[in-house]
Amino acid sequence: MKIHHLNCGTMHPIATGRMVCHVLLLETDRGLALVDTGFGVRDVESPAERIGPLTRVIRPEFDYHETALAQVEALDFDRADVTDIVMTHLDSDHAGGIDDFPSARLHVSARELADADAESGPSPAVRYRPWRQSTHPDDVHSYDTTPDDWFGFAATSLVGFGDDVAFVALPGHTAGHMGVAVRRGDGWLLHCGDAFYHRSVVRGGSIPLTLAFSQFASARKPRLAGTTRNRLADLHERTSESIELVCAHDATLYDESAGIGHL
């Protein structure tokens, strides 16, 4: 399986510095699969309508060339080649590009799907705004159980991928938040979504206060999110030679994975 690392949305939150929307594009036997989508074409064309006041906080660049669709086409593929989209969760900066691949099967946790569709309150209204405005795919496969064990985490294999791609339960940022584990040679790559915002969470060291506050404030279940971060730090300590952990927004982790150095 070939793994492409895409940045599908550069952001410049106040006092935080550059952040990215780290998306994976997988070349599989059944076609292309995206892990998250970042911002999509409709977000770029109508940011006020799609993202709303949140744009003043995260300050995205909204560059068409950063959309997953543009990058898939730049690799000489067609949007129809994307057969599957695997979502860590359905927040606006992760799910905006789903509209751009209408024939793809969507994989998402059942709890996340239910909350994105119907959870009330101001936070869900903001975070799920693009999803609630979108035309949802016809083929949605939701997962309501995680019966397997993946290095001590509850997990389940994804339909159509055999043992090569798995959902890994990483709750806290949202109740239905999942990581996506992708087999890579003799090891694994675990896309942790928004389970953490900064590499120091798992590698050790100092976490910028603005990011520490952001990951706490954005979590629907902060205490559970903290437990998940601690478990990921322990996983990294135990398995750093065989499992690479990445997250959605750390620009340095993205640069390292994409092989483009530190910007």
Side-chain angles (χ1 to χ4, degrees), residues 122-186:
S123 177
V126 170
R127 72 194 313 152
Y128 297 130
R129 183 168 173 157
W131 171 259
R132 293 179 178 182
Q133 294 178 357
S134 296
T135 301
H136 297 171
D138 293 330
D139 191 357
V140 178
H141 199 100
S142 60
Y143 299 77
D144 58 4
T145 61
T146 47
D148 304 323
D149 181 278
W150 188 86
F151 296 92
F153 288 78
T156 187
S157 297
L158 296 187
V159 171
F161 292 96
D163 295 328
D164 291 331
V165 182
F167 260 150
V168 179
L170 301 178
H173 181 73
T174 64
H177 185 277
M178 306 295 283
V180 181
V182 180
R183 192 183 300 276
R184 187 180 58 181
D186 294 332

Side-chain angles (χ1 to χ4, degrees), residues 44 92 146 199 213 225 240:
V44 172
S92 59
T146 47
R199 57 197 173 278
F213 174 77
S240 60

Side-chain angles (χ1 to χ4, degrees), residues 58-111:
I58 60 177
R59 301 196 298 178
E61 292 186 7
F62 291 122
D63 181 351
Y64 171 79
H65 296 95
E66 286 190 339
T67 64
L69 176 60
Q71 294 186 69
V72 164
E73 293 177 339
L75 291 167
D76 293 325
F77 295 110
D78 185 84
R79 75 171 75 211
D81 295 324
V82 177
T83 58
D84 296 87
I85 299 174
V86 185
M87 297 302 303
T88 62
H89 61 304
L90 293 170
D91 277 2
S92 59
D93 51 340
H94 296 255
I98 292 174
D99 280 343
D100 299 328
F101 305 95
S103 63
R105 170 188 284 176
L106 185 70
H107 303 261
V108 63
S109 80
R111 175 61 186 273

